[in-house]
Structures are given as C-alpha cells and as structure tokens.
Amino acid sequence: MSLFITFEGPDGSGKSTQIGLLTGYLRRQGHPVYVTREPGGTPIGDQIRQILHDIHNTEMSARAEILLYSASRAQLVEQVILPRLAQGEIVLCDRYADSTFAYQGYGRRLDFEALQLITAFATQGLKPDLTIYLDLPVEEGLRRKEAANRAGQGELNRMDRLAVEFHQRVRAGYLEMARREPERWLVVDASASVEEIHRCICAQVEEKLRSLLPT
Ligand code: TMP
C-alpha cells in the first residue's frame, strides 16, 4: 500500500532521528520503505543542494533560490517518488514542498500564488498523505543545530545564518499551514522525548494506513 509521508520542522528538531525510527518500525512490519530528502535525493538534486547550501552564495536572489529548490523537487518526484509510490512503497521524505511555503513564502515573503504555481508544476500535483511537523521554539532549534555543528555533525547552511525573526516567521507559517489542513498534518512537540515523539508518529501512521485499507 503506497503512502507518501513528509517530515517538516526547523533545523535541529530531530527529523532525521524520527525518520530513522519510523523506517525501522515500518520495515519490521514488512512494509517496503524508501527514505529520501530535499533538496537532493537524486544525483542532479544533490548537485543543486550544494549550490543552495553553499554559504558563499550570499548573492543568490530569492527567485533563483525557489527555482533551484523546485528544480531539485521536480527531479526527485519524477525520478524517485512517483515510481516508488507506483510500486506500492511507503516513501518518507525529509522536507518537501511545505518547506518552500514556510521558508520562501512565510520566511522570505515571496508571492504565494507564484509559489503555488511553481510547486504544482514541479511536483506534478503530488501532495503528501501525511506531513509530520516537529515543532520547536526557534532559539532552541538554532541552539541544537549549532551544538551539533560544533560536535562535527550536520552542516550549517545559508538558512541557518538568517535572523531569528526569519525563523520565527517560518515557524508561524508552519503552524498556520497545519491549522488549515489538519487532516494532513500532525504537529508534534519536538521538545518531548525521542521515544514519546516516535510513539505519537507511529500511532498517526497506523491510523493513516488503516484509513487506506479497502473497506
Ligand atoms: P536540512 O537538509 O538540514 O533540513 O536543510 C535544508 C535547508 O533548506 C533548511 O534550512 C530549509 C531550507 N529549505 C528551503 O528554504 N526551502 C525548501 O523548499 C527546502 C526543501 C528547504
């Protein structure tokens, strides 16, 4: 049974840990699971990711930025996500189009209608069945990311260098999107323990899987 689940949340919210745990949980139940991420997830997407995250690319325009994220997404949807879903796999994606609405829309204040058109074109209209948002106060997210970076884990990217107000707009944007489409979003308090968050995510994924069973 195919299912497309995306993970969203500020940097440092623990998305990777939760994706790893959910992958193990679903595989132990015999589901075929494919894990990918944005930007990237394909050889072309990974090259685009390098351009996007290069902290030296300070002159990148906001329009170029959104087109690059969308180009990476278009490649991932066509080359990986749609074929995997067609084979009945569960696809878990670390970030997807909602990151564009949160960061480029709410964060950079780019025109929403333009973002919607570009996104619909890039994704061929593919929307997630479930989007898990790991919510964390902005300062805590940035603190976690910097600590990880000092410990030699994770990369600091161009977004991490933006002002706290930018990240606050991003968080408010995520929460607004979740309020508007509650049937698709699961908002989880990312300051809870890893195990608690995992249990909450598994319960919601189980419910989604049940809802897709033929009656
Ligand atoms: P991450 O791989 O550490 O999550 O970093 C990805 C960064 O890219 C993160 O700061 C959010 C940003 N981003 C956007 O601004 N727009 C997008 O569409 C995507 C997918 C990511």
Side-chain angles (χ1 to χ4, degrees), residues 26-194:
L26 290 169
R27 283 195 180 140
R28 281 194 297 279
Q29 295 186 18
H31 294 289
V33 180
Y34 188 83
V35 180
T36 188
R37 68 161 180 187
E38 277 207 12
T42 62
I44 289 175
D46 285 335
Q47 292 173 60
I48 298 173
R49 181 183 177 94
Q50 281 183 9
I51 302 172
L52 277 164
H53 286 184
D54 188 337
I55 49 175
H56 301 105
N57 282 339
T58 48
E59 77 276 27
M60 187 182 296
S61 83
R63 284 164 195 253
E65 181 179 278
I66 193 268
L67 291 171
L68 285 170
Y69 279 118
S70 302
S72 167
R73 181 167 306 134
Q75 189 66 32
L76 183 66
V77 167
E78 185 156 332
Q79 191 180 346
V80 174
I81 302 180
L82 286 175
R84 296 268 171 186
L85 291 175
Q87 282 169 30
E89 294 187 34
I90 296 181
V91 177
L92 307 184
C93 194
D94 186 341
R95 297 194 181 281
Y96 187 61
D98 296 302
S99 282
T100 290
F101 294 114
Y103 286 82
Q104 280 67 49
Y106 290 95
R108 295 225 191 266
R109 299 192 168 115
L110 282 182
D111 178 54
F112 259 93
E113 274 184 33
L115 292 189
Q116 271 162 346
L117 285 173
I118 294 167
T119 300
F121 180 72
T123 60
Q124 305 181 39
L126 177 71
K127 283 187 108 186
D129 298 298
L130 175 65
T131 297
I132 294 160
Y133 175 56
L134 298 176
D135 183 40
L136 200 62
V138 170
E139 289 78 7
E140 175 62 11
L142 293 175
R143 200 192 55 70
R144 285 192 194 182
K145 182 115 201 212
E146 273 158 25
N149 187 253
R150 273 198 302 279
Q153 303 151 358
E155 38 163 19
L156 280 185
N157 61 48
R158 286 183 316 115
M159 296 295 167
D160 302 322
R161 305 219 152 179
L162 294 172
V164 168
E165 297 79 63
F166 171 88
H167 292 284
Q168 268 155 355
R169 284 201 299 278
V170 170
R171 182 184 185 206
Y174 271 125
L175 291 172
E176 193 176 315
M177 289 192 284
R179 262 197 307 275
R180 279 202 201 142
E181 248 185 307
E183 64 295 337
R184 172 163 73 91
W185 288 77
L186 170 69
V187 178
V188 187
D189 176 2
S191 52
S193 74
V194 169

